[in-house]
Each structure stands twice: as structure tokens, then as C-alpha cells.
Amino acid sequence: MKPLNLHKLWPALNRTDWNLKAYTLEKTAICCAFSRMAYWQIPKYELEGHDNLKIMPSRDYLEFVKKKQCRTVKELLQQADFGQNFIIETKSLVLIALDVKGTLFIAIRGTASFHEAYTDLKFRTIGIKGDRSIRYHKGFYEAVTECIDQLVIKLHKFDPDIRIYITGHSLGGAMSAILHTLMSGSNAFEHNKYAQALKGYRSHSCYTFGMPRFGNKEAVNISSPFSFYREGDIVPGLPPRFLGYANSRYEYRIDRKTIISKIFIGGSNKLLWVYNWVRRLNVSNHFIEHYYIDLFHIYKKRK
């Protein structure tokens, strides 16, 4: 598996216009790299008491845990000459934020215990105060709101006008998408205490990889992420749409040669959903490293 060399990101970071909201291949590849980096932050508690760590969708992570390496990305970020950065750890997520020349990247991943709890992607939803038509996946929403108080404190150290890009892979992608909507500035969150706490900061864009569906149509339409999936990855087809979940408005399928837009996953018909799910049954297709390799392969071909 190819290593992640942060210094190689600098040319692409410098060429990209981060003010534009439009999706670009360079932004996608860079956000994927930061999503991969989130798996490098391994707290001590994740090295203990988890016998089923093979469910974690990162080969980097599995290798570090196998060697019992309690890792932190702090030194790595300092060596790569990034600006301010911070890390938040809860029982459900690890959040890494780094300032790169006036753009704050927030990368989220689920913890081992969170992946253990949601390997079946429990389908229950929760409505928000003030607008019950907006419904999120209950587990993902509660995992995000668990870190809001800490996030607000950390964000107060940054200029409110800083551009914020949120990214994540797998369950971390779903949590990233929810945080992105809470930081959208939408009037729908007028009575939501978490969105109000974050009100001084806006999410500019969100890029997710191998993300399961995170809410219904009303939730997705608030501020839809750019959602990328590899052919053969089963996770983006869950939970099924016939249970009320909706796809991101911006779906992109990745293969080794290109990225294809507006390819929607699964269907509302139950038999069609089961067929599509079985057809994609290959767990290795979900690993973040495969997303990273495919995207940088496409990026290098187009340079």
C-alpha cells in the first residue's frame, strides 16, 4: 500500500482555488488524503479491549494497531509545516483539524467502538428541534453532537471568516456530512442548539468517501456534500432508500480511469436494493487507501 506523503500535497494545495465552491479533482484528492490521515490518530483506548478491529476500513490503522502503536498526527503535521491544528477525541469519533494557508480542513473518522456498534448500520432516524421533517441517522447525529462543545472552543481560536472544508470516510463521512449541514447557516436550524453554537463559522464544502446515507431528503437538501464511492463498495448503498434515506445530490463513482457524476446507488425497490447490495459485496473495496490510490492515479493522469 502506497504511503501518504504530505509534502507531495503542497503543489496541488497551491494550485487550487479554495474559494470556489465547485468540485474539482484536486480538491477531491486532497480531501481524501486528509480523510486517510484521520486513521493515523490512534488513542490508547483503541488499542485495548477491541477484538474485532478488522472492521476498521483502513489498512494503515490495522497495521498500526497490530504493532500496538499508539500514534498521534501532531508531530506529522508539524514536520509538514502546516499551520494551527487541533485534535478532538470522543468515544465515537476522532476529529483532526489543520489550517493550511487560510483554509481549515476538518477530517473525521469513527472510532473502533463506534464501528463495532454500527457495523449493521442501524436504521433509526431522529428529527431536529424546530423542524421535525429533517431527519438524521440517530447514531451518526448523536456522535457528531457529542463533540460540538469541544469544537466550538477550538474554533474560537480561528478567524470566523476562515474557509472550512469538512471531509471523512465511511461512518466518518456520514458524520462529516451532518456537521457540514449544521454549519450551513440554514434557517432550518434556528432552534437547534448545536447549529446555533456553531453559528459564527460556516462550512464551505464537504467531501466524503464511501459514505453511508446519513438522513432523509430534507436533511440532504440543506447542504449536500460531494459524495464519492468506488464501484464494488457496499457501504454507500446503506441504509436503503426505501426506509426513507436519501442520496447526496452530488454523487460520483470512482474507478481507476475516471470519475463519473450523478450515478445514484441502489434503488427504492426492495429487490433491486438487495441485488445491488449483493453485487457489491467486497469489503476490501471500502478501504480508504483504495480511494486514495484511485484518486491520485486519476489526478496524475490528468495533470
Side-chain angles (χ1 to χ4, degrees), residues 201-217:
Y201 295 86
R202 289 279 185 91
S203 174
H204 189 83
S205 289
C206 180
Y207 285 71
T208 67
F209 308 91
M211 173 190 74
R213 298 181 180 112
F214 64 89
N216 65 0
K217 184 177 180 181

Side-chain angles (χ1 to χ4, degrees), residues 2-30:
K2 294 182 180 179
L4 174 57
N5 188 331
L6 295 179
H7 292 285
K8 291 184 177 179
L9 297 178
W10 284 114
L13 282 163
N14 291 330
R15 283 194 299 269
T16 300
D17 186 349
W18 296 98
N19 285 312
L20 294 177
K21 287 187 177 291
Y23 138 77
T24 69
L25 178 57
E26 286 180 331
K27 290 180 183 178
T28 307
I30 291 167

Side-chain angles (χ1 to χ4, degrees), residues 36-48 50 52-69 71 94 109-113 115-116 287-289:
R36 181 180 178 184
M37 187 194 303
Y39 286 101
W40 295 5
Q41 178 71 20
I42 304 178
K44 287 183 180 179
Y45 67 80
E46 285 196 306
L47 297 179
E48 303 170 356
H50 293 285
N52 197 24
L53 288 178
K54 62 184 179 181
I55 64 174
M56 291 294 285
S58 167
R59 297 195 187 284
D60 294 337
Y61 179 95
L62 296 176
E63 186 63 27
F64 297 147
V65 171
K66 183 179 179 181
K67 295 178 180 178
K68 296 293 183 181
Q69 293 179 330
R71 294 179 60 89
V94 171
R109 74 162 174 88
T111 60
S113 59
H115 275 270
E116 286 175 350
F287 278 74
I288 182 61
E289 290 81 8

Side-chain angles (χ1 to χ4, degrees), residues 10 52 57 67 82 140 165 194 207 210 221 233 244 282 295 300:
W10 284 114
N52 197 24
K67 295 178 180 178
F82 287 113
F140 300 157
Y165 277 72
Y194 303 110
Y207 285 71
N221 284 342
D233 187 351
N282 187 339
L295 282 168
K300 289 176 181 178

Side-chain angles (χ1 to χ4, degrees), residues 71-82:
R71 294 179 60 89
T72 175
V73 301
K74 279 282 187 182
E75 293 183 7
L76 176 68
L77 297 178
Q78 292 170 354
Q79 293 169 4
D81 197 29
F82 287 113

Side-chain angles (χ1 to χ4, degrees), residues 67-136:
K67 295 178 180 178
K68 296 293 183 181
Q69 293 179 330
C70 182
R71 294 179 60 89
T72 175
V73 301
K74 279 282 187 182
E75 293 183 7
L76 176 68
L77 297 178
Q78 292 170 354
Q79 293 169 4
D81 197 29
F82 287 113
Q84 293 186 71
N85 58 80
F86 63 85
I87 296 169
I88 295 174
E89 297 173 352
T90 71
K91 64 180 182 181
S92 300
L93 64 77
V94 171
L95 183 153
I96 295 173
L98 52 151
D99 179 2
V100 185
K101 301 183 178 181
T103 299
L104 184 66
F105 292 91
I106 296 176
I108 299 175
R109 74 162 174 88
T111 60
S113 59
F114 190 71
H115 275 270
E116 286 175 350
Y118 285 93
T119 48
D120 59 354
L121 293 179
K122 300 171 184 178
F123 300 152
R124 186 179 175 187
T125 60
I126 186 172
I128 67 165
K129 185 176 180 179
D131 190 341
R132 291 290 174 177
S133 68
I134 299 171
R135 301 196 67 82
Y136 291 110

